[in-house]
């Protein structure tokens, strides 16, 4: 879905079942440097820490960090098994735990400090980073948490997960085929089964590792065991998904219905979305969906975290038609060098000078967090909520006017 924004880099990689690899990048002469353990996203079905998107020599050199990008099992192979036990849905969590433990034990050999690991992720990778950061069994493995574009997604209720599993078994032929079928057959079955299922059908079910309250942040954020949290969203995350439908297909009535069924106080949300730029129905829908799925999640986590938190919004916009500041737009400004992101449509027509300024600001923000956590002056205060806004003109502290806007709990069934 996001190839039209990100480009074809993932398609250059060979698909295989062996997910137990990670890549370590460190500057020359590294010794005792902070570590960023980055979990890539991909909707729980795609993504790779070995993509060229994360080849980041300039970031690693200039920031003086050790960067670890990690793989984990995906899709059908990551979330189903022959026993029908919900624990089979959390194989990616255990992959990531094993990788994090390996990094903790071995990263000093690469010049990293095992006591200064920031666990980070984007999108589904942020979802896993949050799950690990709130699991008390993971306490002590990481010092800080960086969540980029984390979606509001609850683990699947077990009955829904079993329904998805049954659809996959029908497509692949048998329960044992979940273990024995060739990669190509599994991928084909994954595609066939997905057509009749809800969004994100291949993700963890409710379990000890991914508890049912994970997306109820008033509860789960209380369990954060790292010492600081940085949450980054973009101004129009949901444009990454909604722009695939013709702009003219959206109407004000669609927006009103979405707001009514999604938020606890629809009138306040409608008033908040009436921005000075007089958005059309498409842009209103993008902003409403972004508020529901991404922005309120970040604010709720910051409000309820027992540790210092900081919330940032990227307001720099893409020149790509109807993209605005979409999902994943943060990534090139942290990890990217020109060659690695050369064919990313969301950077088409970008001003080199503006991109450079955004990159400098974003990398400084992340580097400062990795080294020092959250400073007192920028700490999110639920009583007087303010967040940071970042664009080509720099970083500003602004009132978080959307703080307190609530999202209804939905019935996944």
């Amino acid at each position: 879905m996001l190839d039209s924004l990100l480009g074809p880099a993932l398609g250059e990689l060979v698909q295989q079942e062996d997910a137990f690899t990670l890549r370590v990048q460190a500057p020359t002469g590294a010794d005792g440097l902070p570590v960023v353990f980055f979990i890539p996203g991909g909707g729980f079905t795609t993504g790779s820490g070995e993509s060229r998107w994360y080849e980041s020599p300039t970031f690693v050199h200039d920031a003086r960090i050790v960067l670890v990008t990690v793989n984990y099992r995906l899709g059908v192979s990551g979330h189903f098994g022959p026993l029908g036990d919900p624990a089979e849905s959390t194989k990616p969590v255990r992959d990531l735990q094993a990788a994090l433990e390996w990094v903790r034990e071995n990263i000093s050999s690469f010049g990293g400090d095992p006591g200064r690991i920031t666990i980070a992720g984007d999108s589904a990778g942020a979802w896993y980073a949050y799950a690990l950061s709130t699991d008390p069994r993971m306490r002590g493995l990481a010092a800080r948490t960086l969540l980029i574009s984390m979606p509001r997604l609850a683990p699947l209720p077990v009955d829904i997960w079993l329904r998805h599993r049954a659809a996959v078994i029908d497509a692949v032929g048998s329960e044992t085929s979940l273990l024995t079928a060739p990669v190509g057959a599994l991928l084909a079955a994954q595609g066939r089964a997905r057509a009749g299922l809800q969004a994100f059908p291949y993700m963890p079910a409710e379990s000890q590792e991914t508890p049912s309250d994970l997306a109820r942040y008033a509860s789960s954020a209380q369990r954060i065991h790292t010492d600081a949290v940085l949450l980054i969203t973009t101004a129009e995350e949901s444009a990454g998904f909604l722009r695939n439908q013709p702009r003219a297909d959206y109407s004000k009535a669609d927006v009103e219905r979405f707001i009514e069924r999604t938020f606890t106080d629809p009138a306040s949300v409608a008033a908040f979305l009436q921005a000075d730029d007089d958005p059309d129905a498409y842009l209103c829908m993008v902003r409403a969906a972004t508020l529901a799925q991404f922005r309120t999640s970040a604010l709720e986590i910051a409000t309820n975290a027992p540790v210092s938190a900081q919330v940032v919004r990227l307001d720099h916009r893409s020149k790509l038609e109807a993209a605005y500041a979409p999902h994943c737009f943060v990534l090139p400004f942290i990890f990217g060098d020109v060659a690695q992101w050369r064919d990313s449509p969301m950077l088409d027509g970008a001003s080199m000078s503006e991109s450079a300024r955004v990159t400098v600001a974003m990398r400084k923000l992340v580097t400062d967090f990795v080294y020092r956590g959250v400073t007192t002056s920028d700490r999110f205060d639920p009583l007087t909520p303010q967040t940071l806004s970042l664009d080509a003109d720099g970083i500003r502290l602004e009132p978080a006017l959307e703080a307190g806007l609530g999202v209804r709990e939905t019935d996944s069934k």
Side-chain angles (χ1 to χ4, degrees), residues 190-204:
Q190 175 173 293
R192 290 195 300 273
R194 185 172 193 163
L197 304 177
Q198 66 183 56
F200 302 109
Y202 309 138
M203 64 175 292

Side-chain angles (χ1 to χ4, degrees), residues 123 126-127 130 147-152 217 232 293-294 297 301:
S123 193
W127 194 92
Y130 183 72
L147 305 175
I148 303 170
S149 299
M150 177 176 154
R152 181 188 295 274
Y217 304 117
I232 305 176
Q293 287 295 319
F294 299 95
S297 297
I301 291 169

Side-chain angles (χ1 to χ4, degrees), residues 33 39 48 52 54 59 62 111-112 170 182 193 215 222 224 233 248 255 268 270-271 329 335 344 364:
L33 298 181
I39 307 168
S48 173
R52 59 173 156 88
Y54 310 120
F59 176 43
D62 293 351
D170 285 345
Q222 296 288 331
I224 293 174
T233 65
V255 177
S268 294
F329 200 44
F335 300 104
S344 175
K364 183 179 187 304

Side-chain angles (χ1 to χ4, degrees), residues 245-325:
Q245 182 175 331
R247 190 168 190 142
D249 288 358
Y250 294 90
S251 71
K252 291 287 187 178
D254 293 332
V255 177
E256 290 170 1
R257 285 192 292 270
F258 176 81
I259 292 172
E260 184 68 31
R261 69 172 183 265
T262 303
F263 295 95
T264 56
D265 185 354
S268 294
V269 171
F272 171 77
L273 292 173
Q274 292 306 308
D276 295 336
D277 56 358
D278 190 25
D280 66 0
Y282 164 74
L283 187 51
C284 275
M285 183 66 85
V286 164
R287 289 175 174 169
T290 297
L291 184 65
Q293 287 295 319
F294 299 95
R295 185 67 176 171
T296 54
S297 297
L299 292 167
E300 288 172 26
I301 291 169
T303 296
N304 293 285
V307 300
S308 297
Q310 185 179 78
V311 182
V312 181
R313 183 185 65 240
L314 176 64
D315 285 336
H316 181 62
R317 266 76 178 187
S318 169
K319 300 295 190 290
L320 184 66
E321 176 67 24
Y324 299 97

Side-chain angles (χ1 to χ4, degrees), residues 220-240:
S220 62
Q222 296 288 331
R223 298 195 295 270
I224 293 174
H225 52 71
T226 57
D227 63 20
V229 183
L230 176 62
L231 302 114
I232 305 176
T233 65
T234 72
E236 290 95 11
E237 296 269 4
S238 295

Side-chain angles (χ1 to χ4, degrees), residues 321-351:
E321 176 67 24
Y324 299 97
H327 197 58
C328 297
F329 200 44
V330 173
L331 299 180
F333 302 111
I334 297 177
F335 300 104
D337 289 300
V338 173
Q340 280 74 17
W341 290 84
R342 62 186 178 274
D343 48 11
S344 175
M346 65 184 177
L347 296 177
D348 284 352
S351 162

